[in-house]
Amino acid sequence: MKTTKLTLAALAFTTLSFGAMAADQVASDPLHQTAVGTISAQGGSNLDSLEAQLNAKADAAGAKSFRITSTSGQNNLHGTAVIYQ
C-alpha cells in the first residue's frame, strides 16, 4: 500500500515537471523558428529558479523555445530571454 502511494506520488511529480518544461531552452537561434518577443523575470534566488521562471513565462506565451540573453544580480536575480515560435 505504501509502495503504491509512493509510486503514484512520484508519477504525479514527474508529470508535473515535464508539463512545466514544455518550451525548450536553446543556446542559439533555432532553425525554422522565428523570434516573436522577449520575456523577463526577477526575484530568482539562483540561476535554476530564474531559468524556471523564464521557462514558465515562455510556456504561458505559447513559445516553442526560448534563449536566455541576460542575467544580473546576486541574491535577487533578473533575467531576460528571447522567445521563438
Side-chain angles (χ1 to χ4, degrees):
M1 183 73 172
K2 196 180 249 185
T3 304
T4 303
K5 285 182 181 179
L6 287 175
T7 303
L8 290 175
L11 182 61
F13 286 127
T14 302
T15 303
L16 290 175
S17 67
F18 282 124
M21 299 292 195
D24 294 327
Q25 183 177 352
V26 294
S28 61
D29 294 341
L31 294 175
H32 310 295
Q33 292 184 19
T34 304
V36 294
T38 59
I39 54 174
S40 64
Q42 64 183 30
S45 58
N46 57 41
L47 289 175
D48 288 335
S49 67
L50 183 63
E51 181 182 328
Q53 289 179 24
L54 290 168
N55 194 338
K57 286 192 173 190
D59 286 343
K64 291 182 180 178
S65 58
F66 69 102
R67 180 174 53 91
I68 297 175
T69 55
S70 70
T71 59
S72 62
Q74 291 181 358
N75 296 328
N76 187 13
L77 298 176
H78 176 269
T80 59
V82 176
I83 56 175
Y84 298 91
Q85 283 286 13

Coordinates of all heavy atoms in Angstrom, one line a residue:
M1 N 0.8 -1.2 0.0 CA 0.0 0.0 0.0 C 0.9 1.3 0.0 O 0.6 2.2 -0.7 CB -0.9 0.0 1.2 CG -1.9 1.1 1.3 SD -3.2 0.9 0.1 CE -4.2 2.2 0.5
K2 N 1.9 1.3 0.9 CA 2.8 2.4 0.9 C 3.6 2.6 -0.4 O 3.8 3.7 -0.9 CB 3.8 2.2 2.1 CG 4.5 3.5 2.5 CD 5.4 3.2 3.7 CE 4.9 3.8 4.9 NZ 5.8 3.7 6.1
T3 N 4.0 1.5 -1.0 CA 4.7 1.5 -2.2 C 3.9 2.0 -3.3 O 4.3 2.8 -4.2 CB 5.2 0.1 -2.6 OG1 6.0 -0.4 -1.5 CG2 6.1 0.1 -3.8
T4 N 2.6 1.7 -3.4 CA 1.7 2.2 -4.4 C 1.5 3.7 -4.3 O 1.6 4.4 -5.3 CB 0.3 1.5 -4.3 OG1 0.5 0.1 -4.4 CG2 -0.6 1.9 -5.4
K5 N 1.4 4.2 -3.0 CA 1.2 5.6 -2.8 C 2.5 6.4 -3.3 O 2.4 7.4 -3.9 CB 0.9 5.9 -1.4 CG -0.5 5.6 -1.0 CD -0.8 5.9 0.5 CE -2.2 5.6 0.9 NZ -2.4 5.9 2.3
L6 N 3.6 5.8 -2.9 CA 4.9 6.5 -3.3 C 5.0 6.5 -4.8 O 5.5 7.5 -5.4 CB 6.1 5.8 -2.6 CG 6.2 6.0 -1.1 CD1 7.3 5.2 -0.6 CD2 6.5 7.5 -0.9
T7 N 4.7 5.4 -5.5 CA 4.8 5.3 -6.9 C 3.9 6.3 -7.6 O 4.3 7.0 -8.5 CB 4.5 3.9 -7.4 OG1 5.4 3.0 -6.7 CG2 4.6 3.7 -8.9
L8 N 2.6 6.4 -7.1 CA 1.7 7.4 -7.7 C 2.1 8.8 -7.4 O 2.0 9.6 -8.3 CB 0.3 7.1 -7.1 CG -0.4 5.8 -7.6 CD1 -1.7 5.7 -6.8 CD2 -0.6 5.9 -9.1
A9 N 2.7 9.1 -6.3 CA 3.2 10.4 -6.0 C 4.3 10.8 -6.9 O 4.4 11.9 -7.4 CB 3.6 10.5 -4.5
A10 N 5.3 9.8 -7.1 CA 6.4 10.1 -8.0 C 5.9 10.3 -9.4 O 6.5 11.2 -10.1 CB 7.4 8.9 -7.9
L11 N 5.0 9.5 -9.8 CA 4.4 9.7 -11.2 C 3.8 11.0 -11.4 O 4.0 11.7 -12.4 CB 3.4 8.5 -11.5 CG 2.8 8.6 -12.9 CD1 3.9 8.4 -14.0 CD2 1.8 7.4 -13.0
A12 N 3.0 11.5 -10.4 CA 2.4 12.8 -10.4 C 3.4 13.9 -10.5 O 3.3 14.8 -11.3 CB 1.5 13.0 -9.2
F13 N 4.5 13.8 -9.7 CA 5.5 14.9 -9.7 C 6.3 14.9 -11.0 O 6.6 15.9 -11.6 CB 6.5 14.7 -8.5 CG 5.9 15.1 -7.2 CD1 5.9 14.3 -6.2 CD2 5.3 16.4 -7.1 CE1 5.4 14.7 -4.9 CE2 4.8 16.8 -5.9 CZ 4.8 15.9 -4.8
T14 N 6.5 13.7 -11.6 CA 7.2 13.6 -12.9 C 6.4 14.2 -14.0 O 6.9 15.0 -14.8 CB 7.5 12.1 -13.2 OG1 8.3 11.6 -12.2 CG2 8.2 12.0 -14.5
T15 N 5.1 14.0 -14.0 CA 4.2 14.5 -15.0 C 4.1 16.0 -14.8 O 4.2 16.7 -15.8 CB 2.8 13.9 -14.8 OG1 2.9 12.5 -14.9 CG2 1.8 14.5 -15.8
L16 N 4.1 16.6 -13.6 CA 4.1 18.0 -13.4 C 5.3 18.6 -13.9 O 5.3 19.7 -14.5 CB 3.8 18.3 -11.9 CG 2.4 18.0 -11.4 CD1 2.4 18.3 -9.9 CD2 1.4 18.9 -12.1
S17 N 6.5 18.0 -13.6 CA 7.7 18.7 -14.0 C 7.9 18.6 -15.6 O 8.4 19.6 -16.1 CB 8.9 18.0 -13.3 OG 9.1 16.7 -13.8
F18 N 7.4 17.6 -16.2 CA 7.5 17.6 -17.7 C 6.6 18.6 -18.3 O 6.9 19.2 -19.2 CB 7.2 16.2 -18.3 CG 8.3 15.2 -18.2 CD1 8.2 14.0 -17.5 CD2 9.6 15.5 -18.7 CE1 9.2 13.1 -17.4 CE2 10.6 14.6 -18.6 CZ 10.4 13.4 -17.9
G19 N 5.4 18.8 -17.7 CA 4.5 19.8 -18.2 C 5.0 21.2 -18.0 O 4.7 22.1 -18.8
A20 N 5.8 21.4 -17.0 CA 6.4 22.7 -16.7 C 7.5 23.1 -17.7 O 7.9 24.2 -17.8 CB 6.8 22.8 -15.3
M21 N 8.1 22.1 -18.3 CA 9.2 22.3 -19.2 C 8.8 22.1 -20.7 O 9.5 21.5 -21.4 CB 10.3 21.4 -18.8 CG 10.9 21.6 -17.5 SD 11.7 23.2 -17.3 CE 12.5 23.0 -15.8
A22 N 7.7 22.7 -21.1 CA 7.3 22.5 -22.5 C 8.1 23.2 -23.5 O 8.4 22.7 -24.6 CB 5.8 22.8 -22.6
A23 N 8.5 24.4 -23.2 CA 9.4 25.2 -24.1 C 10.8 24.7 -23.9 O 11.3 24.5 -22.8 CB 9.3 26.7 -23.8
D24 N 11.5 24.6 -25.0 CA 12.9 24.1 -24.9 C 13.9 25.3 -24.8 O 13.7 26.3 -25.5 CB 13.3 23.4 -26.2 CG 12.6 22.0 -26.3 OD1 12.3 21.4 -25.3 OD2 12.3 21.7 -27.5
Q25 N 14.8 25.2 -23.9 CA 15.9 26.2 -23.8 C 16.9 25.9 -24.9 O 17.4 24.8 -25.0 CB 16.5 26.3 -22.4 CG 17.5 27.4 -22.3 CD 18.1 27.5 -20.9 OE1 17.7 26.8 -20.0 NE2 19.1 28.3 -20.8
V26 N 17.3 26.9 -25.7 CA 18.3 26.8 -26.7 C 19.5 27.7 -26.5 O 19.3 28.7 -25.8 CB 17.7 27.0 -28.1 CG1 16.6 26.0 -28.4 CG2 17.1 28.4 -28.2
A27 N 20.6 27.3 -27.1 CA 21.8 28.1 -26.9 C 22.0 29.1 -28.0 O 22.7 30.1 -27.9 CB 23.0 27.2 -26.8
S28 N 21.4 28.9 -29.2 CA 21.5 29.8 -30.3 C 20.1 29.9 -31.0 O 19.2 29.1 -30.7 CB 22.6 29.4 -31.3 OG 22.3 28.1 -31.8
D29 N 20.0 30.8 -32.0 CA 18.7 30.9 -32.7 C 18.4 29.5 -33.3 O 19.1 29.0 -34.1 CB 18.8 31.9 -33.8 CG 19.0 33.3 -33.3 OD1 18.7 33.6 -32.1 OD2 19.4 34.2 -34.0
P30 N 17.2 29.0 -33.0 CA 16.8 27.7 -33.6 C 16.4 27.8 -35.0 O 15.8 28.8 -35.5 CB 15.6 27.3 -32.7 CG 15.1 28.6 -32.2 CD 16.2 29.5 -32.1
L31 N 16.8 26.8 -35.8 CA 16.4 26.7 -37.2 C 14.9 26.6 -37.4 O 14.2 25.9 -36.6 CB 17.1 25.5 -37.9 CG 18.6 25.6 -38.0 CD1 19.1 24.3 -38.6 CD2 19.1 26.8 -38.8
H32 N 14.3 27.2 -38.4 CA 12.9 27.2 -38.7 C 12.0 27.7 -37.6 O 10.9 27.3 -37.5 CB 12.5 25.7 -39.1 CG 13.5 25.1 -40.1 ND1 13.6 25.6 -41.4 CD2 14.3 24.1 -40.0 CE1 14.5 24.8 -42.0 NE2 14.9 23.9 -41.2
Q33 N 12.5 28.6 -36.7 CA 11.7 29.2 -35.8 C 12.0 30.7 -35.8 O 13.1 31.1 -36.1 CB 12.0 28.7 -34.3 CG 11.5 27.3 -34.1 CD 11.7 26.8 -32.7 OE1 11.8 27.6 -31.8 NE2 11.6 25.5 -32.5
T34 N 11.0 31.5 -35.5 CA 11.2 33.0 -35.6 C 11.1 33.6 -34.2 O 10.2 33.2 -33.4 CB 10.0 33.6 -36.5 OG1 10.1 32.9 -37.8 CG2 10.2 35.1 -36.7
A35 N 11.9 34.6 -33.9 CA 11.8 35.3 -32.7 C 10.5 36.1 -32.7 O 10.2 36.8 -33.6 CB 13.0 36.2 -32.5
V36 N 9.7 35.9 -31.6 CA 8.4 36.6 -31.6 C 8.3 37.6 -30.4 O 7.3 38.2 -30.2 CB 7.3 35.6 -31.5 CG1 7.2 34.8 -32.8 CG2 7.4 34.7 -30.3
G37 N 9.3 37.7 -29.6 CA 9.3 38.7 -28.5 C 10.3 38.4 -27.4 O 11.2 37.5 -27.6
T38 N 10.2 39.1 -26.3 CA 11.1 38.9 -25.2 C 10.3 38.8 -23.9 O 9.2 39.3 -23.9 CB 12.1 40.1 -25.0 OG1 11.4 41.3 -24.9 CG2 13.0 40.2 -26.3
I39 N 10.9 38.1 -23.0 CA 10.3 38.0 -21.6 C 11.3 38.3 -20.6 O 12.5 38.3 -20.9 CB 9.7 36.5 -21.4 CG1 10.8 35.5 -21.7 CG2 8.5 36.3 -22.3 CD1 10.4 34.1 -21.3
S40 N 10.9 38.6 -19.4 CA 11.8 38.9 -18.3 C 11.2 38.3 -17.0 O 10.0 38.1 -16.9 CB 12.1 40.4 -18.2 OG 10.9 41.1 -17.8
A41 N 12.1 38.1 -16.1 CA 11.7 37.6 -14.8 C 12.7 38.2 -13.8 O 13.8 38.5 -14.1 CB 11.8 36.1 -14.8
Q42 N 12.2 38.3 -12.5 CA 13.1 38.8 -11.5 C 12.7 38.1 -10.2 O 11.6 37.6 -10.0 CB 13.0 40.3 -11.3 CG 11.7 40.8 -10.9 CD 11.7 42.4 -10.9 OE1 12.5 43.0 -11.6 NE2 11.0 42.9 -10.0
G43 N 13.6 38.2 -9.2 CA 13.4 37.6 -7.9 C 13.9 36.2 -7.8 O 13.7 35.6 -6.7
G44 N 14.6 35.7 -8.8 CA 15.2 34.3 -8.6 C 16.3 34.3 -7.6 O 17.1 35.3 -7.5
S45 N 16.4 33.3 -6.8 CA 17.4 33.2 -5.7 C 18.7 32.6 -6.3 O 19.8 32.7 -5.7 CB 16.9 32.5 -4.5 OG 16.5 31.2 -4.9
N46 N 18.6 31.8 -7.4 CA 19.7 31.2 -8.1 C 19.4 31.1 -9.5 O 18.3 31.3 -10.0 CB 20.1 29.9 -7.4 CG 18.9 28.9 -7.4 OD1 18.2 28.8 -8.4 ND2 18.8 28.2 -6.3
L47 N 20.4 30.6 -10.3 CA 20.1 30.5 -11.8 C 19.1 29.5 -12.1 O 18.3 29.7 -13.1 CB 21.4 30.2 -12.5 CG 22.5 31.4 -12.5 CD1 23.8 30.9 -13.1 CD2 21.9 32.6 -13.2
D48 N 19.0 28.4 -11.4 CA 17.9 27.4 -11.7 C 16.5 28.0 -11.5 O 15.7 27.8 -12.3 CB 18.1 26.2 -10.8 CG 19.3 25.4 -11.2 OD1 19.7 25.4 -12.4 OD2 19.9 24.6 -10.4
S49 N 16.3 28.8 -10.4 CA 15.0 29.3 -10.2 C 14.7 30.4 -11.2 O 13.5 30.5 -11.7 CB 14.9 29.9 -8.8 OG 15.7 31.0 -8.6
L50 N 15.7 31.2 -11.6 CA 15.4 32.2 -12.7 C 15.1 31.5 -14.0 O 14.2 31.9 -14.7 CB 16.7 33.1 -12.8 CG 16.5 34.2 -13.8 CD1 15.5 35.2 -13.4 CD2 17.9 34.9 -14.0
E51 N 15.8 30.4 -14.3 CA 15.5 29.7 -15.6 C 14.1 29.1 -15.5 O 13.4 29.1 -16.5 CB 16.6 28.6 -15.7 CG 16.4 27.7 -17.0 CD 17.4 26.6 -17.1 OE1 18.5 26.8 -16.6 OE2 17.0 25.6 -17.6
A52 N 13.7 28.6 -14.4 CA 12.4 28.0 -14.3 C 11.3 29.1 -14.4 O 10.3 28.9 -15.1 CB 12.2 27.4 -12.9
Q53 N 11.5 30.3 -13.9 CA 10.6 31.4 -14.1 C 10.5 31.8 -15.6 O 9.4 32.0 -16.1 CB 11.0 32.6 -13.3 CG 10.9 32.5 -11.8 CD 11.3 33.7 -11.1 OE1 11.4 34.8 -11.6 NE2 11.7 33.6 -9.8
L54 N 11.6 31.9 -16.3 CA 11.6 32.2 -17.7 C 10.9 31.1 -18.5 O 10.2 31.4 -19.4 CB 13.0 32.5 -18.2 CG 13.7 33.8 -17.6 CD1 15.2 33.8 -18.0 CD2 13.0 35.0 -18.2
N55 N 11.2 29.9 -18.1 CA 10.5 28.8 -18.8 C 9.0 28.9 -18.7 O 8.3 28.6 -19.6 CB 11.1 27.5 -18.3 CG 10.7 26.3 -19.2 OD1 9.8 26.3 -19.9 ND2 11.5 25.2 -19.0
A56 N 8.5 29.2 -17.5 CA 7.1 29.3 -17.2 C 6.5 30.4 -18.0 O 5.4 30.3 -18.6 CB 6.8 29.5 -15.7
K57 N 7.2 31.5 -18.1 CA 6.7 32.6 -18.9 C 6.7 32.3 -20.4 O 5.8 32.7 -21.2 CB 7.5 33.9 -18.7 CG 7.2 34.5 -17.3 CD 7.8 35.9 -17.2 CE 7.3 36.5 -15.9 NZ 7.6 37.9 -15.8
A58 N 7.7 31.6 -20.9 CA 7.8 31.2 -22.3 C 6.6 30.2 -22.6 O 6.0 30.3 -23.6 CB 9.1 30.5 -22.6
D59 N 6.3 29.3 -21.7 CA 5.2 28.4 -21.9 C 3.9 29.2 -21.9 O 3.0 28.9 -22.7 CB 5.1 27.4 -20.7 CG 6.2 26.3 -20.8 OD1 6.8 26.1 -21.9 OD2 6.4 25.6 -19.8
A60 N 3.7 30.1 -21.0 CA 2.5 30.9 -20.9 C 2.3 31.7 -22.2 O 1.1 32.0 -22.6 CB 2.5 31.8 -19.7
A61 N 3.4 32.1 -22.9 CA 3.3 32.9 -24.1 C 3.1 32.0 -25.3 O 3.0 32.4 -26.4 CB 4.6 33.7 -24.3
G62 N 3.2 30.7 -25.1 CA 3.0 29.7 -26.2 C 4.2 29.5 -27.0 O 4.1 29.1 -28.2
A63 N 5.4 29.8 -26.5 CA 6.6 29.7 -27.2 C 7.0 28.2 -27.4 O 6.8 27.4 -26.5 CB 7.7 30.4 -26.5
K64 N 7.7 27.9 -28.5 CA 8.3 26.6 -28.7 C 9.6 26.5 -28.0 O 10.0 25.4 -27.6 CB 8.4 26.3 -30.2 CG 7.1 26.1 -30.9 CD 7.4 25.8 -32.4 CE 6.1 25.6 -33.1 NZ 6.3 25.3 -34.5
S65 N 10.4 27.6 -28.0 CA 11.7 27.6 -27.3 C 12.0 29.0 -26.9 O 11.3 29.9 -27.2 CB 12.7 27.1 -28.3 OG 12.8 27.9 -29.5
F66 N 13.0 29.1 -26.0 CA 13.5 30.4 -25.6 C 15.0 30.3 -25.4 O 15.6 29.3 -25.2 CB 12.8 30.8 -24.2 CG 13.2 29.9 -23.1 CD1 14.1 30.4 -22.1 CD2 12.6 28.7 -22.9 CE1 14.4 29.6 -21.0 CE2 13.0 27.9 -21.8 CZ 13.9 28.4 -20.8
R67 N 15.6 31.5 -25.4 CA 17.1 31.6 -25.3 C 17.3 32.8 -24.3 O 16.9 33.9 -24.5 CB 17.7 31.9 -26.6 CG 19.3 32.1 -26.5 CD 19.9 32.2 -27.9 NE 19.3 33.3 -28.7 CZ 19.8 34.5 -28.7 NH1 20.8 34.9 -27.9 NH2 19.2 35.5 -29.5
I68 N 18.0 32.4 -23.2 CA 18.3 33.4 -22.2 C 19.4 34.4 -22.7 O 20.4 33.9 -23.2 CB 18.8 32.8 -20.9 CG1 17.6 31.9 -20.3 CG2 19.2 33.8 -19.9 CD1 18.0 31.1 -19.1
T69 N 19.1 35.7 -22.7 CA 20.0 36.6 -23.3 C 20.8 37.4 -22.2 O 21.9 37.9 -22.5 CB 19.3 37.6 -24.2 OG1 18.2 38.2 -23.5 CG2 18.8 36.9 -25.4
S70 N 20.3 37.5 -21.0 CA 21.0 38.2 -19.9 C 20.5 37.8 -18.6 O 19.4 37.4 -18.4 CB 20.8 39.8 -20.1 OG 19.5 40.1 -19.8
T71 N 21.4 37.9 -17.6 CA 21.1 37.7 -16.2 C 22.0 38.7 -15.4 O 23.1 39.0 -15.8 CB 21.4 36.3 -15.7 OG1 22.8 36.0 -15.9 CG2 20.6 35.2 -16.4
S72 N 21.4 39.2 -14.3 CA 22.2 40.1 -13.5 C 21.7 40.0 -12.0 O 20.6 39.4 -11.8 CB 22.0 41.5 -14.0 OG 20.7 41.9 -13.9
G73 N 22.5 40.4 -11.1 CA 22.1 40.4 -9.7 C 22.9 39.4 -8.9 O 23.7 38.6 -9.5
Q74 N 22.7 39.4 -7.6 CA 23.4 38.5 -6.8 C 22.4 37.6 -6.0 O 22.3 36.5 -6.3 CB 24.3 39.2 -5.8 CG 25.5 39.8 -6.5 CD 26.5 40.5 -5.6 OE1 26.2 40.6 -4.4 NE2 27.5 41.1 -6.1
N75 N 21.7 38.2 -5.1 CA 20.7 37.4 -4.3 C 19.3 37.6 -4.9 O 18.4 36.8 -4.5 CB 20.7 37.9 -2.8 CG 22.0 37.6 -2.1 OD1 22.7 36.6 -2.5 ND2 22.4 38.5 -1.2
N76 N 19.1 38.6 -5.7 CA 17.8 38.8 -6.3 C 18.0 38.9 -7.8 O 18.2 40.0 -8.3 CB 17.2 40.1 -5.7 CG 15.7 40.3 -6.2 OD1 15.1 39.4 -6.8 ND2 15.2 41.5 -6.0
L77 N 18.0 37.8 -8.5 CA 18.4 37.8 -9.9 C 17.4 38.3 -10.8 O 16.2 38.2 -10.6 CB 18.8 36.4 -10.3 CG 19.9 35.7 -9.6 CD1 20.1 34.3 -10.0 CD2 21.2 36.5 -9.8
H78 N 17.8 38.9 -11.9 CA 16.9 39.3 -13.0 C 17.4 38.8 -14.3 O 18.6 38.7 -14.5 CB 16.9 40.9 -13.1 CG 16.1 41.4 -14.2 ND1 16.6 41.7 -15.4 CD2 14.8 41.8 -14.3 CE1 15.7 42.2 -16.2 NE2 14.6 42.2 -15.5
G79 N 16.5 38.4 -15.2 CA 17.0 37.8 -16.5 C 16.0 38.1 -17.6 O 14.8 38.4 -17.3
T80 N 16.5 38.1 -18.8 CA 15.6 38.3 -20.0 C 15.9 37.1 -21.0 O 17.0 36.5 -20.9 CB 15.9 39.6 -20.7 OG1 17.3 39.7 -21.1 CG2 15.6 40.8 -19.8
A81 N 14.9 36.9 -21.8 CA 15.1 35.8 -22.8 C 14.3 36.2 -24.1 O 13.3 36.9 -24.0 CB 14.6 34.5 -22.3
V82 N 14.7 35.7 -25.2 CA 14.0 35.8 -26.5 C 13.2 34.5 -26.6 O 13.6 33.4 -26.3 CB 15.0 35.9 -27.6 CG1 14.2 36.0 -29.0 CG2 15.9 37.2 -27.5
I83 N 11.9 34.7 -27.0 CA 11.0 33.5 -27.3 C 10.9 33.3 -28.7 O 10.9 34.3 -29.5 CB 9.7 33.7 -26.5 CG1 8.9 34.9 -26.9 CG2 9.9 33.6 -25.0 CD1 7.6 35.0 -26.3
Y84 N 10.7 32.1 -29.1 CA 10.6 31.7 -30.5 C 9.4 30.9 -30.8 O 8.9 30.1 -29.9 CB 11.8 30.8 -30.9 CG 13.1 31.6 -30.8 CD1 13.9 31.5 -29.7 CD2 13.6 32.3 -31.9 CE1 15.1 32.2 -29.6 CE2 14.8 33.0 -31.8 CZ 15.5 32.9 -30.6 OH 16.7 33.6 -30.5
Q85 N 8.8 31.0 -32.0 CA 7.7 30.2 -32.5 C 8.1 29.4 -33.6 O 8.9 29.8 -34.4 CB 6.5 31.1 -32.9 CG 5.7 31.6 -31.8 CD 4.8 30.6 -31.1 OE1 5.0 29.4 -31.3 NE2 4.0 31.1 -30.3

